Each structure stands twice: as structure tokens, then as C-alpha cells.
Amino acid sequence: MASLGLGGLGASARRKSVPSRNAAVERRNLITVCRFSVKTLIDRSCFETIDDSSPEFNNFAAILEQILSHRLKGQITWFGYESTRSFWDYIRVACRKVSHNSICSIENMENVGSSRAKGRAWIRVALMEKHLSEYISTALRDFKTTRRFYEDGAIVLGEEANMLAGMLLGLNAIDFSFCLKGKGLDGTFPAVIDYTPYLKFIESSDSISSDEEELRTLGSSGSEGSTPENIGSVIVDEHSWYNKCKRVEQKYRLALEQKGYLEELVRLRENQLSESVSQNKLLLQRIEDMDLAHKMEKEQLEYIIMELQDQLKSFQSLDQLSADVSLSQTSLDPGHSQDGKQDGINLLNEGKEDTPSLLGLCGSLTSVASYKSLTSLKSSEYLASPTTEMTSPGLTPS
């Protein structure tokens, strides 16, 4: 009975370990195939443009869709049923924090209706924007949202998720060109991975030598039977070396072309930089000249304003002087009001010449005493005119 109990416990443990092993193998296989697909995409981009017709891209898109859909939780409806979900539901929530993201534009696309089609459109747009690795990294950092959408054992919840973002970073060096209205966005069919490009077996020289030794030990009699085999192994070995040399030569030519392109690009950028520097110097010189001209104009305007203020003050003083003179004349001698007005006008006209002597004279006339003395001198009988002095017979020159 004890042995039966121990046997039953061992069988149950084995049954529990099988699903976990299968899940680990599935995760490892998807990550490995994803790495192979990224390498084939990079190699293919050296010779042609990657678009929707490229089988390498279609395979990569299918692999990425399988990875993001691995152990994705379903959505519970109001009636308690669980409906299937697409990875776009997770991306739409987890990638909102990416700066300048294309989530809203994909949501508003007219020709894309289903959630799976929107997810496929997002993969193409992210590759063209060279932000796919940034999207995946941001989504994986939001662990709470990831845990809400995925079950235990999912790839995005395991250690393999850290490798995924690093692998996708190499795709930023490829210029993709996609049409977002093609058949690739049809969400009615699931993505299917083609494993045949990654299952090619290349026989190495070590395996060839081990096969030869095995044939010798099994009893290949005579040198006639062994000679063709040796010749075949040499031919296979030479063919593999020839293929390696061809690949190295292609890589060298590609690196040389890229080197020439980068040198030409650097030269153009240096010319543009020198032109921009010279233009910047010219603009700075022009700004300095304009500032100097503006300062000179400002100083001239200030000087003109000061002169105008001085002239205005002088005119105001002359107006006040004429008003005082007319007031004094009307108050002292009403009969001479007309003469006083005329004298005031004459003084005003003469006073427009800003001389110190005239200003002093005007200042002396403002007092009433000086004005009285002046009128007394005019009315005095001893003050004779020059004509009377010349025609008087009583006055003779001595």
C-alpha cells in the first residue's frame, strides 16, 4: 500500500512537471525563432527594401504576434462568459506613456476595424517610426497592467521579456515601407509562423570527419570504395569554404558601401554646418549694426526733445512778460493803453531773439517803478526831440 501511494505521488508530480516543461520549451522556442527572424530581416535589408511582400517580414510579424498573444487573458462579459482578446487591447493601455505615440491615430483608422487588424497596423507603424523597441520596453515596465492582461507563464511576464526588447532594438537600423491598406491588415485569419527557413542543417567539417571514421569502422573494404567518399568530403568542405568566402566578401562590400555613404553624409553635414555658421555671423553683425543705428537715433531724438523743451520754456516766459506789461499799462495810464499794447507787441516781437541783454531789459520793465520812471521821462518838458534841438535859435554850439 505504501509503495502504491509513493508511485501515485510520483506520477502526479510527473504530470505537474510536464505542462511547466512544455510552457518553458514553448517560450524558449518563440524567443529563439524571434531572434532568427530579426537576423534574417537585417540581412535581407542590406539587399532590398522590406515591405509587405517580404516573406521575412511576414514571418517576423507572425512571430511577434504569437509572442504578444502568448497566454493572454480573455475578457469577461456581462453574462460571465470569457471572450477572446487581442494583444492590441494590452498595447493600447500599456503604451499610452510613450511620447508621440501613434495609438490614437491607429484607433481612428477607417479601413481597420477589428482589434487584431489594429494590432498588425501598430506593428507596421512602429517599425516605420523606429519605435517598436521603445513601445515594448514601456509596456513591460508597466508590470501592473501586464499582470492584469496575462496569465502566469506568459512570455511577457518571464525573464525572456528582457531579451525581447533588446532584440527588437536592432530593427531601428532598417527603413521599412508598408501600405496600411493592404491585405496584411486583414484580422480574420490568425498568424502562422513558417519554421522552414530556420531548420536548414549545414554539415560542418567535424561532422564529415566523424562520419568518415564511422564508415571506416563499419567495414568499408578496399581503397576503391573509400576513395570516392574522401573526394566527396573534400568537395563538400571546399564548397562550404567557398560559401563562407562569398558571404564575407558580400559583407565587406556592404560595409564599404556604408562607409562611403557615411563619409559623403558627414561631408554634406560639415558643409551645411559651415554655411550655417557663416550665416549666423552675418546675422549677428547685422544685429549689432542695427543696435548701433538705433542708439544713435535715440540720442538724436533726445537732443531734439531737449532743444524743443528749452524753446518752449522761453516762449512761455515771453508770453508771461507781455501779459504783465499790458496789465501794468492798463492799470497805470488808461489813455496810453493803445501805446502800451503796441509797445508790448513790439517787445514781444523783439524778444523772440533770445539774447541776455533783451531778457534783462524785459526783466527791468516788469517792475512798476521802472515803468513810472520811463513815462515821466517821456512826458518831461526838458526832454526835447532831436529836431527841436537842431532848429532852436537859442541854442548854438560852443
Side-chain angles (χ1 to χ4, degrees), residues 14 57 239 266 278 311 379:
R14 283 195 298 273
F57 166 73
H239 184 68
V266 169
S278 61
Q311 292 180 7
S379 61

Side-chain angles (χ1 to χ4, degrees), residues 101-353:
N101 61 72
S102 58
I103 303 296
C104 295
S105 60
I106 293 174
E107 284 283 355
N108 298 327
M109 291 178 67
E110 297 179 355
N111 60 323
V112 180
S114 63
S115 179
R116 183 182 293 175
K118 289 179 181 178
R120 293 174 180 177
W122 168 77
I123 292 175
R124 286 160 172 79
V125 172
L127 287 173
M128 288 191 290
E129 292 178 348
K130 302 181 186 300
H131 289 163
L132 182 60
S133 178
E134 183 181 358
Y135 277 112
I136 297 298
S137 300
T138 305
L140 293 178
R141 282 197 295 268
D142 192 356
F143 188 75
K144 185 181 294 184
T145 304
T146 307
R147 172 67 67 180
R148 183 161 55 91
F149 276 88
Y150 288 91
E151 298 177 355
D152 294 335
I155 294 177
V156 295
L157 292 176
E159 298 178 355
E160 296 86 356
N162 299 324
M163 301 170 58
L164 181 62
M167 282 187 290
L168 299 178
L169 189 61
L171 297 177
N172 294 342
I174 304 176
D175 295 328
F176 292 93
S177 177
F178 301 115
C179 178
L180 300 180
K181 296 182 180 180
K183 297 180 179 179
L185 300 181
D186 188 7
T188 57
F189 300 101
V192 179
I193 303 174
D194 184 13
Y195 291 97
T196 54
Y198 317 118
L199 296 178
K200 294 178 180 178
F201 176 72
I202 300 175
E203 192 174 10
S204 62
S205 58
D206 297 335
S207 63
I208 293 172
S209 61
S210 62
D211 291 340
E212 290 175 358
E213 293 294 334
E214 186 178 357
L215 288 173
R216 288 196 187 97
T217 56
L218 287 176
S220 298
S221 59
S223 60
E224 296 179 356
S226 61
T227 303
E229 293 178 358
N230 294 331
I231 294 173
S233 63
V234 172
I235 290 173
V236 171
D237 198 6
E238 289 180 355
H239 184 68
S240 63
W241 280 110
Y242 177 76
N243 291 334
K244 290 180 181 179
C245 290
K246 291 293 288 183
R247 287 195 295 270
V248 170
E249 185 179 0
Q250 289 177 358
K251 290 182 179 179
Y252 173 73
R253 289 178 180 176
L254 178 63
L256 191 62
E257 291 177 357
Q258 291 179 351
K259 177 178 175 292
Y261 170 73
L262 292 175
E263 289 178 351
E264 183 68 18
L265 189 62
V266 169
R267 187 181 63 81
L268 291 175
R269 293 293 182 268
E270 288 178 352
N271 293 335
Q272 292 176 359
L273 181 61
S274 61
E275 290 178 359
S276 61
V277 168
S278 61
Q279 291 178 0
N280 191 16
K281 289 182 179 179
L282 291 175
L283 290 174
L284 289 176
Q285 185 65 32
R286 188 178 299 175
I287 290 172
E288 291 178 358
D289 296 340
M290 292 176 67
D291 288 340
L292 183 60
H294 289 164
K295 287 180 181 178
M296 294 179 65
E297 289 180 359
K298 183 180 178 181
E299 291 177 357
Q300 291 177 359
L301 291 173
E302 289 178 352
Y303 181 72
I304 292 170
I305 289 170
M306 292 176 66
E307 286 185 349
L308 291 174
Q309 287 177 354
D310 293 339
Q311 292 180 7
L312 183 61
K313 288 179 181 179
S314 64
F315 285 139
Q316 288 177 356
S317 63
L318 289 174
D319 292 339
Q320 185 67 27
L321 176 61
S322 63
D324 293 339
V325 169
S326 61
L327 182 61
S328 62
Q329 285 180 354
T330 54
S331 61
L332 294 175
D333 191 2
H336 294 83
S337 62
Q338 298 294 330
D339 297 335
K341 289 181 180 179
Q342 187 66 30
D343 293 338
I345 292 170
N346 294 333
L347 287 173
L348 179 61
N349 293 329
E350 292 176 359
K352 290 181 180 178
E353 298 177 359

Side-chain angles (χ1 to χ4, degrees), residues 14-39:
R14 283 195 298 273
R15 283 196 298 271
K16 290 181 180 179
S17 63
V18 168
S20 61
R21 177 185 175 277
N22 292 340
V25 170
E26 184 181 6
R27 291 197 303 268
R28 189 166 58 250
N29 288 341
L30 283 174
I31 293 296
T32 304
V33 172
C34 183
R35 187 186 301 116
F36 287 157
S37 65
V38 170
K39 289 185 65 176

